[in-house]
């Protein structure tokens, strides 16, 4: 029975609400509201909540907008700095036309093939090198050729023109690195094969150096180094230099071979054995030099690595281009050739023939477009330092308030890595520009300028940093999606699926590594796809998405060196377990996570009085309406005014009372009622599922029962001559007899229990109303 004080409080609160409602009605009659709000009540709490939430939503959109502008600015800077379109055109022309990467270069396997590549033309039909004539025969003829296609000689200005528009700088540089001879590892066959060649230790002869004065470079003093002949290590250098010499010294001392004699001796400036084919010497002298190198076996068993480098300038695009062909000679007797038809993993085998081409603008700030780019670079740097300052401030604040564990979440770590990459990009870019300014290129020249190779490496480092920056920057967009319920659906999906994805990745990783190991062991010695474990892992991964066709690779019955049965079992089982089972499990995990995220968003929207979460276009429309109302109404009826008025009403009007204890009690009664109804429903469904004769275990048969004494009486009548013992009988049949279950009585009297429950509720309500009526009177 409710207490008197409680009833008085309820009645007093009701009178206060009526008075407040009357006053608020008078206040609303005096307000200048929109016509569609007149005559209707306003949900104060819901309106206040959304008015307070709306500035946060707008700030979220502003943060997303500014981050998008910042990210687009960074991407535009990288794109315009790299000038990828022009670089691609130059790269394609040099790689596929001049160097013939897919044809001639792919056929270089032996030392003799390398000289044929330099001196002879390549026949695509025969897939072999053939004797050619100037200017079409071989790479050297193409680069240094001195005649037109009709036989007319080049003029002085035309010398070194590659495909009419690319001017060669200086000539062509070829560097050989030679491996030292070392004793083979201990073996019983050491006497039969006593000499081995080092794969990593090259022949060198580096002199002791000392500073001989300084020179001013970009306002800083740089020491000028020279060989220190007074050093104690100088004699050792001379000995190493002498031992680095090779070749037929008798011929090399002759006058006819003086031009190539230095190529058979180590050059510490080039970190290898140098061959310089100068443009000024003319095509005939250069061809003779190559032929002499071939005659004197400049390449032999100690050759480990060859670099062919040259630089040219294209005035149409204002670009210098550095090109390098690197050939690695394996200890199996051939170059590890370039295979254009191979998959990406085959191209990445250690020591494979590679082509490196980089375009460099040595005048980065010359035109109006360049200075606009410079302005955006300055804006970007200022913006980055502002973001880093804000990050450091937040970090120090977290330390001061001892909330560092809350500060370093996933997004804070991504921000830290991203800002570090931006700083590295700025430092590399400044160093790149400084290197260009401090090392002006003087042309024409008769030597190889290493500045282009340095700038090429710097540019590759910058692109690697930019790759990480753009990747993390793209992921950071998800951080700015969290304020909007529709945009954050991917975040919620991944969050809901994280545990299952973690365990899925463990299972998938075991399958991937296991099958990669099987492929490597069984097919690695025949197929380049599986030659190394990392390549096996990559090719198995790519096969899931169709990038690599495993069928022709390992399931070809015509290839006798691969077991066709094992290959097909390998291929079919891999595609079944991963392509069909695991991939569908992965999709199912994401679908469940998406469904959970969608349901969570729906419940959140319902708690806020909406049928569905707000969409982006709805927020945009509301923002446009607010801005237009503010502009056209002069800011008279602002949302701030509305919020303050509603807050005043909220303080004045008492909050509705909610008896949580009664609600919980009612909730438990409803749950109990639902449980009883479900049991009754299951009972009816089970009864109607099949005839009762076919359901000997149905609860209805509990009504057909007998006592153990009745059972004993029947046995006594059927077996009168049997002398039995009750205890022995119970013990013998204890596991064979089924007793009536205790809970079955509930199914019989369910209607009676429901009526009794309803009667108790009606009696309690009647008693409460009588008490209230007596108190009022």
């Amino acid at each position: 029975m409710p207490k008197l004080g409680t009833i008085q409080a309820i009645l007093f609160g009701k009178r206060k609400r009526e008075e407040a409602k009357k006053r608020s009605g008078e206040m609303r009659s005096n307000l200048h509201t929109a016509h569609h709000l007149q005559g209707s009540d306003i949900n104060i709490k819901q309106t206040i909540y959304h008015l307070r939430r709306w500035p946060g939503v707008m700030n979220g959109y502003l943060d997303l907008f500014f981050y998008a502008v910042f990210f687009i600015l960074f991407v535009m800077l990288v794109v315009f700095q790299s000038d990828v379109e022009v670089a691609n055109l130059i790269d394609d022309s040099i790689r596929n036309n001049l160097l013939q990467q897919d044809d001639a270069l792919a056929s270089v396997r032996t030392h003799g093939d390398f000289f044929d590549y330099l001196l002879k033309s390549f026949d695509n039909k025969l897939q072999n090198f053939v004797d050619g004539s100037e200017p079409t025969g071989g790479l050297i003829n193409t680069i240094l050729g001195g005649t037109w296609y009709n036989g007319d000689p080049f003029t002085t200005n035309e010398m070194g023109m590659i495909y009419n528009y690319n001017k060669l700088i200086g000539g062509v540089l070829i560097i050989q690195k030679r491996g030292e001879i070392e004793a083979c590892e201990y073996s019983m066959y050491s006497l039969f094969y006593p000499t081995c060649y080092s794969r990593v230790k090259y022949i060198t002869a580096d002199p002791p150096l000392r500073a001989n004065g300084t020179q001013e470079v970009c306002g800083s003093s740089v020491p000028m180094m020279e060989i220190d002949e007074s050093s104690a290590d100088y004699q050792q250098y001379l000995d190493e230099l002498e031992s680095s010499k090779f070749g037929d010294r008798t011929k090399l001392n002759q006058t006819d071979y003086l031009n190539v004699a230095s190529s058979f001796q180590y050059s510490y400036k080039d970190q290898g054995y140098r061959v310089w084919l100068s443009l000024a010497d003319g095509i005939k002298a250069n061809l003779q030099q190559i032929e002499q190198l071939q005659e004197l076996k400049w390449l032999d068993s100690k050759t480990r690595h060859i670099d062919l480098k040259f630089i040219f300038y294209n005035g149409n695009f204002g670009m210098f281009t550095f090109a390098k062909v690197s050939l690695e000679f394996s200890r199996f007797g051939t170059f590890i050739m370039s295979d254009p038809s191979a998959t990406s993993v085959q191209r990445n085998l250690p020591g494979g023939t590679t082509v490196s081409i980089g375009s460099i603008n040595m005048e980065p700030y010359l035109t109006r477009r360049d200075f606009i780019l410079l302005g955006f670079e300055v804006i970007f740097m200022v913006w980055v330092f502002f973001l880093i300052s804000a990050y450091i401030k937040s970090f120090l604040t977290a330390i001061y308030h001892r909330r560092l564990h809350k500060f370093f979440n996933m997004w804070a770590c991504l921000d830290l890595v991203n800002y570090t990459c931006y700083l590295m990009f700025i430092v590399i870019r400044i160093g790149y520009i400084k290197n260009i300014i401090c090392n002006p290129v003087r042309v024409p020249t008769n030597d190889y300028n290493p500045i282009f190779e340095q700038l090429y490496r710097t540019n590759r480092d910058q692109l690697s940093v930019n790759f990480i920056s753009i990747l993390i920057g793209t992921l950071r967009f998800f951080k700015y999606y969290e304020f909007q319920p529709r945009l954050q659906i991917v975040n919620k999906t991944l969050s809901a699926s994280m545990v299952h994805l973690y365990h899925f990745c463990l299972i998938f990783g075991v399958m991937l590594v296991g099958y990669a190991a099987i492929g490597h062991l069984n097919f690695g010695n025949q197929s380049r796809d599986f030659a190394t474990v990392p390549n096996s892992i990559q090719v198995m991964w790519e096969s899931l998405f169709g990038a690599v066709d495993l069928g022709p690779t390992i399931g070809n019955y015509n290839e006798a060196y691969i077991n066709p049965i094992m290959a097909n079992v390998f291929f079919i089982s891999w595609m079944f377990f991963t392509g069909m089972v695991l991939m569908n499990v992965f999709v199912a995990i994401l679908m469940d996570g998406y469904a959970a995220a969608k349901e969570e968003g729906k419940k959140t929207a319902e708690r806020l009085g909406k049928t569905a979460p707000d969409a982006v276009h709805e927020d945009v429309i509301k923002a446009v309406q607010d801005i237009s109302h503010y502009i056209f109404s002069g800011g008279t009826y602002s949302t701030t005014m509305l919020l303050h008025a509603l807050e005043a009403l909220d303080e004045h009007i008492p909050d509705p009372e909610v008896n949580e204890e009664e609600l919980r009690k009612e909730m438990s009664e409803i749950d109990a009622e639902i449980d009883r109804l479900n049991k009754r429903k299951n009972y009816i469904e089970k009864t109607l599922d099949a005839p009762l004769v076919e359901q000997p275990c149905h609860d209805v048969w509990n009504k057909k029962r007998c006592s153990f004494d009745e059972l004993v009486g029947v046995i006594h009548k059927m077996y009168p001559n049997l002398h039995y013992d009750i205890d022995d009988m119970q013990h013998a049949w204890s596991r064979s007899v089924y007793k009536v279950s205790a809970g079955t009585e509930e199914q019989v009297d369910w209607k009676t229990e429901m009526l009794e429950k309803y009667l108790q509720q009606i009696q309690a309500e009647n008693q409460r109303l009588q008490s209230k009526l007596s108190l009022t009177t």
Side-chain angles (χ1 to χ4, degrees):
M1 181 176 179
K3 295 182 179 179
L4 179 61
T6 304
I7 297 174
Q8 290 176 341
I10 293 173
L11 295 176
F12 179 73
K14 183 176 180 180
R15 285 194 290 269
K16 285 188 65 178
R17 286 195 297 272
E18 290 176 351
E19 295 175 0
K21 186 174 181 181
K22 183 177 179 181
R23 287 194 299 270
S24 64
E26 296 173 355
M27 187 179 296
R28 284 199 301 271
S29 63
N30 296 326
L31 292 174
H32 180 65
T33 58
H35 63 87
H36 60 275
L37 295 178
Q38 292 180 350
S40 60
D41 291 334
I42 297 175
N43 189 323
I44 296 177
K45 284 293 185 183
Q46 184 176 358
T47 306
I48 290 176
Y49 174 82
H50 286 288
L51 286 175
R52 290 174 177 174
R53 172 181 169 273
W54 180 244
V57 174
M58 290 297 295
N59 290 333
Y61 278 109
L62 288 175
D63 292 341
L64 177 60
F65 171 76
F66 283 118
Y67 179 72
V69 172
F70 171 78
F71 185 75
I72 292 172
L73 173 64
F74 172 66
V75 174
M76 288 179 59
L77 285 179
V78 174
V79 170
F80 286 123
Q81 287 174 358
S82 303
D83 208 351
V84 179
E85 183 178 357
V86 174
N88 175 262
L89 294 174
I90 297 175
D91 183 282
D92 181 72
S93 176
I94 299 303
R95 188 182 301 273
N96 297 320
N97 296 328
L98 177 62
L99 300 178
Q100 300 182 66
Q101 173 182 269
D102 296 348
D103 300 316
L105 185 58
S107 299
V108 176
R109 296 179 177 88
T110 65
H111 296 325
D113 291 339
F114 177 73
F115 285 106
D116 289 342
Y117 177 66
L118 298 179
L119 299 174
K120 297 181 180 181
S121 299
F122 184 78
D123 193 315
N124 291 325
K125 293 182 179 180
L126 299 177
Q127 288 295 302
N128 200 2
F129 293 100
V130 296
D131 291 333
S133 59
E134 186 182 328
T136 59
L139 179 64
I140 299 303
N141 272 322
T142 305
I143 297 178
L144 301 174
T147 60
W148 286 95
Y149 58 87
N150 62 353
D152 293 343
F154 279 174
T155 64
T156 303
N157 293 330
E158 293 172 342
M159 290 295 295
M161 294 296 293
I162 304 173
Y163 299 129
N164 302 330
Y165 299 107
N166 305 293
K167 182 71 173 178
L168 184 68
I169 307 298
V172 178
L173 178 65
I174 304 175
I175 301 294
Q176 175 192 175
K177 293 184 178 180
R178 299 169 59 81
E180 291 188 351
I181 296 177
E182 58 185 13
C184 297
E185 295 182 0
Y186 176 76
S187 171
M188 61 183 298
Y189 304 105
S190 297
L191 295 177
F192 176 74
Y193 198 102
T195 304
C196 291
Y197 298 89
S198 176
R199 182 179 63 178
V200 295
K201 190 175 182 181
Y202 296 124
I203 297 175
T204 60
D206 297 325
L209 301 176
R210 66 180 178 185
N212 184 18
T214 59
Q215 58 180 353
E216 293 293 327
V217 178
C218 289
S220 59
S221 299
V222 179
M224 300 175 62
M225 306 304 294
E226 64 175 14
I227 297 177
D228 186 6
E229 298 181 358
S230 61
S231 173
D233 297 328
Y234 182 70
Q235 185 59 43
Q236 181 182 353
Y237 158 68
L238 295 178
D239 295 339
E240 291 177 350
L241 185 62
E242 186 65 26
S243 63
S244 70
K245 298 178 181 179
F246 70 102
D248 189 346
R249 307 311 300 179
T250 303
K251 286 189 176 181
L252 290 173
N253 292 329
Q254 296 177 9
T255 305
D256 295 338
Y257 294 94
L258 290 179
N259 289 335
V260 298
S262 59
S263 301
F264 290 83
Q265 177 177 303
Y266 181 81
S267 171
Y268 80 92
K269 291 183 178 180
D270 299 286
Q271 296 296 301
Y273 293 79
R274 167 192 175 100
V275 175
W276 174 245
L277 304 177
S278 175
L279 177 63
D281 293 341
I283 182 61
K284 292 183 178 180
N286 290 316
L287 290 176
Q288 181 183 7
Q289 189 174 350
I290 295 296
E291 291 171 352
Q292 289 178 346
L293 292 173
Q294 184 178 19
E295 176 188 352
L296 297 175
K297 292 194 298 185
W298 187 63
L299 305 179
D300 57 17
S301 57
K302 291 186 178 182
T303 301
R304 297 271 71 81
H305 188 91
I306 298 175
D307 284 334
L308 187 147
K309 310 175 187 179
F310 58 93
I311 304 160
F312 59 86
Y313 176 73
N314 190 312
N316 297 292
F317 302 104
M319 287 285 188
F320 287 88
T321 300
F322 162 78
K324 180 175 72 171
V325 179
S326 299
L327 300 99
E328 190 81 15
F329 195 79
S330 71
R331 293 185 294 175
F332 301 102
T334 61
F335 285 106
I336 302 177
M337 70 176 194
S338 172
D339 188 357
S341 62
T343 63
S344 60
V345 294
Q346 292 172 339
R347 293 176 184 270
N348 292 331
L349 285 175
T353 300
T354 59
V355 176
S356 303
I357 300 175
S359 296
I360 302 161
N361 184 3
M362 297 298 292
E363 298 173 307
Y365 305 113
L366 186 64
T367 64
R368 180 182 299 177
R369 172 182 174 275
D370 297 334
F371 283 103
I372 294 175
L373 177 63
L374 176 61
F376 282 118
E377 289 176 345
V378 174
I379 294 174
F380 173 77
M381 286 190 292
V382 173
W383 203 334
V384 167
F385 286 116
F386 172 77
L387 293 175
I388 293 176
S389 301
Y391 184 89
I392 295 175
K393 181 180 178 181
S394 301
F395 175 72
L396 296 177
T397 303
I399 294 177
Y400 179 77
H401 293 287
R402 297 181 180 180
R403 296 178 180 177
L404 195 60
H405 62 284
K406 295 183 179 180
F407 174 80
F408 272 114
N409 54 19
M410 181 185 69
W411 299 121
C413 295
L414 283 180
D415 292 344
L416 178 62
V417 176
N418 207 190
Y419 294 154
T420 303
C421 290
Y422 288 145
L423 281 178
M424 293 177 62
F425 164 69
I426 293 172
V427 172
I428 292 174
R429 180 64 180 176
I430 293 175
Y432 182 84
I433 298 300
K434 181 180 178 181
N435 208 359
I436 290 176
I437 296 174
C438 297
N439 297 276
V441 177
R442 293 176 174 82
V443 290
T445 181
N446 193 31
D447 199 0
Y448 175 80
N449 194 338
I451 184 61
F452 295 102
E453 190 169 358
Q454 297 173 12
L455 293 175
Y456 168 77
R457 288 196 295 266
T458 304
N459 191 38
R460 299 307 302 177
D461 294 339
Q462 178 179 317
L463 292 177
S464 299
V465 173
N466 291 341
F467 162 76
I468 300 175
S469 298
I470 295 176
L471 176 62
I472 297 179
T474 303
L475 295 177
R476 287 180 64 205
F477 269 97
F478 290 94
K479 170 186 176 181
Y480 296 93
Y481 295 155
E482 291 189 333
F483 76 95
Q484 218 286 333
R486 297 280 189 177
L487 292 177
Q488 69 174 352
I489 188 67
V490 177
N491 302 41
K492 294 292 185 181
T493 299
L494 293 177
S495 177
S497 308
M498 189 58 63
V499 175
H500 296 295
L501 286 177
Y502 163 68
H503 291 90
F504 171 82
C505 290
L506 290 178
I507 298 172
F508 180 78
V510 171
M511 293 290 292
L512 179 64
V513 175
Y515 270 86
I518 294 173
H520 174 64
L521 294 174
N522 289 277
F523 314 112
N525 57 337
Q526 295 100 356
S527 174
R528 293 182 67 192
D529 281 335
F530 300 96
T532 65
V533 174
N535 287 349
S536 298
I537 294 175
Q538 185 175 349
V539 78
M540 299 308 298
W541 171 262
E542 292 183 358
S543 67
L544 291 175
F545 309 98
V548 178
D549 189 1
L550 290 181
T553 304
I554 62 176
N556 191 344
Y557 284 85
N558 296 324
E559 297 180 355
Y561 56 83
I562 292 181
N563 187 333
I565 298 177
M566 185 180 296
N568 280 280
V569 170
F570 174 80
F571 170 69
I572 294 172
S573 62
W574 165 254
M575 296 309 298
F576 174 77
F577 286 118
T578 56
M580 298 176 66
V581 177
L582 289 183
M583 289 298 102
N584 283 287
V585 170
F586 176 73
V587 174
I589 291 173
L590 291 182
M591 290 297 294
D592 290 344
Y594 176 77
K598 188 176 179 182
E599 184 65 22
E600 181 184 350
K602 183 179 179 181
K603 290 181 178 179
T604 303
E606 290 175 352
R607 287 197 297 269
L608 300 179
K610 299 182 179 181
T611 58
D614 292 335
V616 173
H617 68 276
E618 295 174 348
D619 292 338
V620 173
I621 292 173
K622 187 178 185 307
V624 172
Q625 289 177 346
D626 290 347
I627 295 173
S628 62
H629 290 164
Y630 180 81
I631 293 175
F632 293 111
S633 65
T636 305
Y637 306 110
S638 64
T639 55
T640 305
M641 177 191 298
L642 176 61
L643 177 60
H644 290 166
L646 289 173
E647 288 176 343
L649 285 172
D650 184 42
E651 293 179 358
H652 189 71
I653 300 176
D655 294 337
E657 296 182 0
V658 176
N659 193 330
E660 295 184 359
E661 184 177 353
E662 290 186 0
L663 290 178
R664 290 192 180 95
K665 182 178 179 182
E666 184 179 356
M667 188 68 184
S668 62
E669 293 173 353
I670 293 174
D671 290 338
E673 190 66 28
I674 292 173
D675 184 58
R676 284 193 294 271
L677 292 175
N678 285 332
K679 288 181 180 179
R680 183 61 183 171
K681 179 182 177 183
N682 294 334
Y683 173 80
I684 295 174
E685 289 178 347
K686 185 177 180 181
T687 305
L688 299 177
D689 184 58
L692 289 175
V693 179
E694 299 178 4
Q695 302 186 64
C697 299
H698 197 284
D699 294 337
V700 74
W701 294 114
N702 288 317
K703 299 176 183 179
K704 196 170 186 177
R705 63 185 71 179
C706 68
S707 64
F708 187 75
D709 294 335
E710 291 175 341
L711 177 63
V712 171
V714 172
I715 292 175
H716 181 67
K717 292 178 180 180
M718 295 179 63
Y719 304 95
N721 298 326
L722 178 66
H723 298 283
Y724 57 89
D725 184 271
I726 297 296
D727 294 334
D728 292 341
M729 187 182 295
Q730 292 182 11
H731 181 72
W733 291 346
S734 61
R735 294 184 179 274
S736 301
V737 173
Y738 290 89
K739 299 178 182 180
V740 176
S741 53
T744 56
E745 298 296 336
E746 298 179 1
Q747 299 292 346
V748 180
D749 300 329
W750 69 277
K751 290 185 177 179
T752 304
E753 291 182 2
M754 288 179 61
L755 292 175
E756 291 177 353
K757 186 68 176 178
Y758 292 151
L759 181 61
Q760 292 175 1
Q761 292 178 356
I762 292 173
Q763 291 175 348
E765 183 67 18
N766 186 31
Q767 185 178 4
R768 186 180 67 82
L769 293 175
Q770 289 178 356
S771 300
K772 182 177 179 181
L773 180 62
S774 62
L775 180 64
T776 305
T777 56

